[in-house]
Amino acid sequence: MIAPSILSADFARLADELAAIHGADWVHVDVMDAHFVPNLTLGLPIVESLLKVTDIPMDCHLMIEDPDRWAIAYAEAGAHNVTVHIEAAKDPIKLARDLRAAGSKAGLSIKPGTPIEPYLDVLKEYDTLLVMSVEPGFGGQSFIAHVLDKVRTVRNLVDTGHLNLLVEIDGGINSDTIEQAAEAGVDCFVAGSAVYGAADPARAIEALRTQAVSANHRFA
């Protein structure tokens, strides 16, 4: 799965930028509040507007304080997947259940420096694990390869039936890094500049997908 990130899109032309990524599996929307991360992007009103102009399932990544209070509204608005950070959630198990009850998938994200092991039981409540392969806050950063150890840990638990979730990765994903992420066991790849920096975003999506599928088959 390829999920282009509109953080790298032209914010003055968001409807057109969504139309340009036909063939994408999800559209990744980074919500930042300038508190949990040192950047401010967009919020619920813009997400609600975007939902009206695309049929691509929306993957909302909430890099915000107090997601227990704010996340449910994104599910109620119609987001397909709503991801919160384990570092910010006060009651992640209740939050996952509330997100599902409000109509979305529940995603849990983890920063590069946060260990995964303390949260393996929590992940039983979630549909998606989003492993950050850059520090959250800004696009265009370099890929942090050591986070793939977390991917491998969770991939093994999924493959052996101990967890049932989709493994997503976000940060620095491009033609140079997607194969190693696929080899580690990633299911869904968030790509910003690798898609929106291309002359033909739809073709870039398919090229990335081809690389990921090839790497997955090669190392399966």
Side-chain angles (χ1 to χ4, degrees):
M1 295 173 60
I2 306 296
S5 171
I6 63 167
L7 185 63
S8 298
D10 181 350
F11 274 31
R13 300 173 53 252
L14 283 179
D16 293 336
E17 295 284 61
L18 288 176
I21 57 170
H22 56 86
D25 298 282
W26 288 355
V27 55
H28 189 81
V29 180
D30 289 308
V31 176
M32 306 184 196
D33 64 357
H35 294 283
F36 180 70
V37 292
N39 195 7
L40 182 66
T41 54
L42 49 81
L44 182 61
I46 294 178
V47 167
E48 290 173 333
S49 295
L50 295 177
L51 284 163
K52 296 174 183 176
V53 298
T54 184
D55 293 327
I56 303 172
M58 197 159 290
D59 178 30
C60 290
H61 177 196
L62 307 187
M63 289 172 267
I64 63 173
E65 290 185 351
D66 201 7
D68 303 69
R69 176 181 178 185
W70 300 110
I72 305 306
Y74 290 84
E76 292 173 341
H80 175 75
N81 186 69
V82 178
T83 295
V84 300
H85 268 266
I86 189 60
E87 300 89 355
K90 297 179 179 67
D91 189 342
I93 291 176
K94 180 179 184 298
L95 183 49
R97 294 172 181 174
D98 288 347
L99 283 169
R100 284 213 190 100
S104 77
K105 303 281 189 184
L108 192 69
S109 187
I110 189 165
K111 292 182 178 182
T114 302
I116 192 70
E117 287 76 13
Y119 307 109
L120 294 178
D121 281 341
V122 173
L123 284 174
K124 293 176 182 177
E125 300 286 338
Y126 280 82
D127 303 293
T128 307
L129 169 67
L130 176 58
V131 176
M132 293 299 299
S133 44
V134 298
E135 289 297 331
F138 294 94
Q141 299 181 63
S142 298
F143 183 76
I144 300 172
H146 68 73
V147 304
L148 294 179
D149 289 338
K150 299 177 196 176
V151 172
R152 295 184 186 99
T153 295
V154 174
R155 178 83 264 155
N156 180 63
L157 291 171
V158 171
D159 290 346
T160 55
H162 293 86
L163 289 174
N164 180 24
L165 49 71
L166 180 148
V167 182
E168 187 176 9
I169 196 162
D170 181 6
I173 294 297
N174 54 42
S175 59
D176 296 323
T177 57
I178 193 167
E179 292 185 15
Q180 58 184 303
E183 175 192 350
V186 171
D187 300 299
C188 182
F189 305 83
V190 177
S193 54
V195 171
Y196 278 114
D200 186 337
R203 183 172 293 181
I205 290 168
E206 290 313 309
L208 289 170
R209 193 194 315 281
T210 297
Q211 276 191 277
V213 169
S214 175
N216 184 272
H217 287 167
R218 191 163 68 246
F219 293 102

